Amino acid sequence: MLPLNSRGFTLVELLITIAIAAILLSAGVPAFSDFIRNNRLQSAAAGIVADLTAARTEAARTYLSVFVCPSTAGTGCDGTDWNTGRIVYADANGNGMVEPGEIIRWSAPLDTGLAATATGFSTLIAFRPTGAASAAGSIDVCDGRSGPHGRRVDLNAAGRISLRQVSCP
């Protein structure tokens, strides 16, 4: 016979503890999944903001026209799809073409499952030497969910960049 002061769990206590843990995990895992998806959206939108901010800052710093455009390989503007990656380049010689020495930064393509859609500008975002943008527009970043889960990067004609939440279709 065991002494009365021995410690431990009975099988019933262990099973009840496991059942409670399973219930708590089943409630927490979907919320954690949404947290991860929201974080991916925020990160992608923040990357776009970083590229636009770098372009505006470089335009004001060097007093050159600086551009942001879609780029798959990071060597030139080669498409209209903002999901494939982006480059920021300063047109030092004013010829309107991307040259290897003019590239400031390249951003990798968006994660799979994310989609970026531009409105107001299609293939090129330009910043004048004053820091003003040549056109106003926005880029929406959404994933497969509908509702208020997306992020919108707004750019006004003065070059102001903002980030906000938006509903996805």
Side-chain angles (χ1 to χ4, degrees), residues 133-168:
S134 62
S138 63
I139 299 176
D140 291 348
V141 181
C142 293
D143 58 10
R145 300 174 291 174
S146 61
H149 300 288
R151 302 294 183 270
R152 175 173 287 167
V153 178
D154 286 314
L155 174 66
N156 68 17
R160 182 176 180 271
I161 304 160
S162 61
L163 178 61
R164 62 186 169 108
Q165 190 170 350
V166 68
S167 289
C168 292

Side-chain angles (χ1 to χ4, degrees), residues 105-123:
R105 66 188 289 166
W106 175 70
S107 296
L110 295 180
D111 291 340
T112 54
L114 298 179
T117 308
T119 307
F121 35 75
S122 58
T123 61

Side-chain angles (χ1 to χ4, degrees), residues 4-162:
L4 292 177
N5 63 359
S6 63
R7 298 176 186 228
F9 293 106
T10 65
L11 182 60
V12 173
E13 291 171 333
L14 182 63
L15 290 176
I16 290 173
T17 303
I18 291 173
I20 291 172
I23 291 169
L24 291 175
L25 281 174
S26 68
V29 168
F32 188 68
S33 175
D34 280 345
F35 173 77
I36 291 172
R37 292 175 83 178
N38 289 338
N39 193 18
R40 288 180 62 221
L41 277 170
Q42 184 67 24
S43 177
I48 294 169
V49 168
D51 288 343
L52 295 176
T53 302
R56 183 177 188 212
T57 302
E58 188 70 12
R61 186 182 73 79
T62 61
Y63 210 68
L64 295 170
S65 293
V66 179
F67 302 92
V68 181
C69 63
S71 176
T72 55
T75 57
C77 298
D78 55 4
T80 59
D81 187 4
W82 290 93
N83 300 306
T84 61
R86 301 169 303 279
I87 61 168
V88 177
Y89 72 96
D91 192 12
N93 57 11
N95 67 356
M97 304 290 290
V98 182
E99 294 172 1
E102 297 176 334
I103 296 173
I104 297 168
R105 66 188 289 166
W106 175 70
S107 296
L110 295 180
D111 291 340
T112 54
L114 298 179
T117 308
T119 307
F121 35 75
S122 58
T123 61
L124 193 67
I125 301 171
F127 288 93
R128 296 185 183 102
T130 60
S134 62
S138 63
I139 299 176
D140 291 348
V141 181
C142 293
D143 58 10
R145 300 174 291 174
S146 61
H149 300 288
R151 302 294 183 270
R152 175 173 287 167
V153 178
D154 286 314
L155 174 66
N156 68 17
R160 182 176 180 271
I161 304 160
S162 61

